């Protein structure tokens, strides 16, 4: 085994930010997420020979991370889930950038989705994978991913009570005014 | 009436494109802070250390 090809190393590093976001969405905890990413990279480097050059490095890493999380989760199933997560803490430290209330609501809504739906939504909606790639990562049919994403979107829009883009205003008070005053 | 539109969409099992777009943008914005942090040093170091070990000819 040789040192990492520069292109391979580049591809690995460029996948890290979205890998972290995915890991946070799975584990609900930044520290655990970073440990997951670390373990993923270690495993990827140890098995770099099984990576087929020319294929999607990012999808390969996501697959490894997801499998690691699944096996770890099975082990830890009896532990208390960090459902609220500490990601909320990192968000509240940047309140000026986005509407904090909106994000808090969004985080809660996201955490109420079944794990399979949340995972599919994040792969397709936030990590930029195609339905086909997401199906590969989750080892399921493309149709399954599509229906999970659809159900996740529908459920989220119900939880957040949005039925038009206008409703999802910059903050709750705006939304309250909108719904109280009759929209449009 | 928006309510009727929503019910219609729900019956068809899909959301309007405007809602999908808005959800997508919020989802991306939600993870924006993490993405903007880029690659933390611990991961750069990890790959660096791997190369250095291999360079010394442990394999």
């Amino acid at each position: 085994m040789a040192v990492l090809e520069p292109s391979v190393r580049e591809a690995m590093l460029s996948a890290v930010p979205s890998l972290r976001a995915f890991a946070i969405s799975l584990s609900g905890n930044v520290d655990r997420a970073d440990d997951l990413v670390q373990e993923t990279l270690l495993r990827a480097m140890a098995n770099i020979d099984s990576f087929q050059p020319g294929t999607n490095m990012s999808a390969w890493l996501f697959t490894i991370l997801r499998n690691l999380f699944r096996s770890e989760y099975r082990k830890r199933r009896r532990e208390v889930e960090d459902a609220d997560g500490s990601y909320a803490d990192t968000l509240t430290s940047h309140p000026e950038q986005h509407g904090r209330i909106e994000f808090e609501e969004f985080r809660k809504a996201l955490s109420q989705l079944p794990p399979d739906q949340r995972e599919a939504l994040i792969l397709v909606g936030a990590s930029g994978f195609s339905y086909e790639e997401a199906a590969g990562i989750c080892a399921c049919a493309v149709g399954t991913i599509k229906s999970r994403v659809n159900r996740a979107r529908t459920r989220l829009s119900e939880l957040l009570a949005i039925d038009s883009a206008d409703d999802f205003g910059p903050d709750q008070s705006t939304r309250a005014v909108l719904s109280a005053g009759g929209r449009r | 009436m928006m309510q009727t539109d929503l019910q219609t969409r729900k019956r068809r099992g899909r959301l309007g494109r405007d809602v999908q777009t808005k959800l997508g943008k919020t989802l991306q914005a939600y993870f924006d802070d993490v993405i903007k942090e880029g690659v933390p040093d611990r991961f750069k170091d990890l790959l660096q250390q791997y190369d250095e070990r291999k360079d010394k000819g442990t394999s």
Side-chain angles (χ1 to χ4, degrees):
Chain A
M1 225 189 323
V3 297
L4 292 177
E5 293 277 337
S7 63
V8 169
R9 175 214 289 260
E10 258 328 290
M12 275 190 174
L13 285 176
S14 66
V16 165
S18 57
L19 260 184
R20 292 180 76 219
F22 182 55
I24 288 169
S25 73
L26 290 179
S27 70
N29 177 305
V30 176
D31 291 335
R32 233 173 109 189
D34 277 347
D35 288 345
L36 259 177
V37 172
Q38 168 133 357
E39 217 179 316
T40 300
L41 292 175
L42 284 172
R43 194 160 294 203
M45 289 186 287
N47 295 288
I48 197 66
D49 292 345
S50 67
F51 173 72
Q52 297 178 319
T55 61
N56 190 332
M57 169 63 82
S58 186
W60 188 59
L61 293 174
F62 271 66
T63 309
I64 296 174
L65 188 138
R66 181 180 179 274
N67 290 340
L68 278 172
F69 176 75
R70 294 252 153 171
S71 54
E72 182 189 294
Y73 181 78
R74 274 194 294 273
K75 274 186 233 153
R76 295 192 186 186
R77 189 174 282 170
R78 299 186 59 179
E79 286 180 29
V80 180
E81 266 288 282
D82 186 9
D84 279 344
S86 52
Y87 187 47
D89 301 340
T90 71
L91 287 178
T92 50
S93 63
H94 311 282
E96 66 287 346
Q97 286 178 10
H98 318 284
R100 194 199 306 202
I101 297 169
E102 179 180 344
F103 266 16
E104 179 56 19
E105 252 184 273
F106 192 76
R107 186 186 65 76
K108 275 191 191 146
L110 211 53
S111 72
Q112 284 177 52
L113 295 178
D116 284 350
Q117 289 181 25
R118 185 169 56 234
E119 174 181 82
L121 180 71
I122 285 159
L123 287 173
V124 172
S127 311
F129 289 110
S130 65
Y131 286 114
E132 287 75 14
E133 287 166 335
I137 292 167
C138 298
C140 67
V142 175
T144 307
I145 290 291
K146 284 185 180 170
S147 90
R148 282 176 187 168
V149 170
N150 276 336
R151 274 180 290 153
R153 282 178 175 151
T154 305
R155 184 86 183 104
L156 268 188
S157 70
E158 284 167 4
L159 288 166
L160 297 164
I162 40 172
D163 51 26
S164 107
D166 297 341
D167 285 354
F168 209 26
D171 60 47
Q172 214 165 23
S173 55
T174 307
R175 200 177 320 152
V177 169
L178 282 172
S179 44
R183 320 173 177 109
R184 300 196 170 177
Chain B
M1 282 292 285
M2 294 305 296
Q3 203 56 32
T4 316
D5 283 356
L6 176 66
Q7 280 157 2
T8 310
R9 283 200 295 265
K10 270 186 189 163
R11 260 200 303 283
R12 292 203 309 248
R14 45 195 297 244
L15 296 164
R17 187 151 292 277
D18 55 345
V19 176
Q20 288 198 22
T21 305
K22 184 71 195 172
L23 278 177
K25 281 187 180 153
T26 308
L27 195 61
Q28 275 165 358
Y30 182 72
F31 288 115
D32 227 23
D33 288 339
V34 178
I35 301 292
K36 278 191 191 137
E37 283 172 20
V39 183
D41 285 344
R42 71 183 272 194
F43 300 122
K44 289 181 190 157
D45 295 345
L46 191 73
L47 267 60
Q48 190 65 43
Q49 283 161 12
Y50 176 87
D51 274 359
E52 281 163 9
R53 270 203 310 279
K54 291 294 166 192
D55 256 349
K56 282 178 195 150
T58 41
S59 60

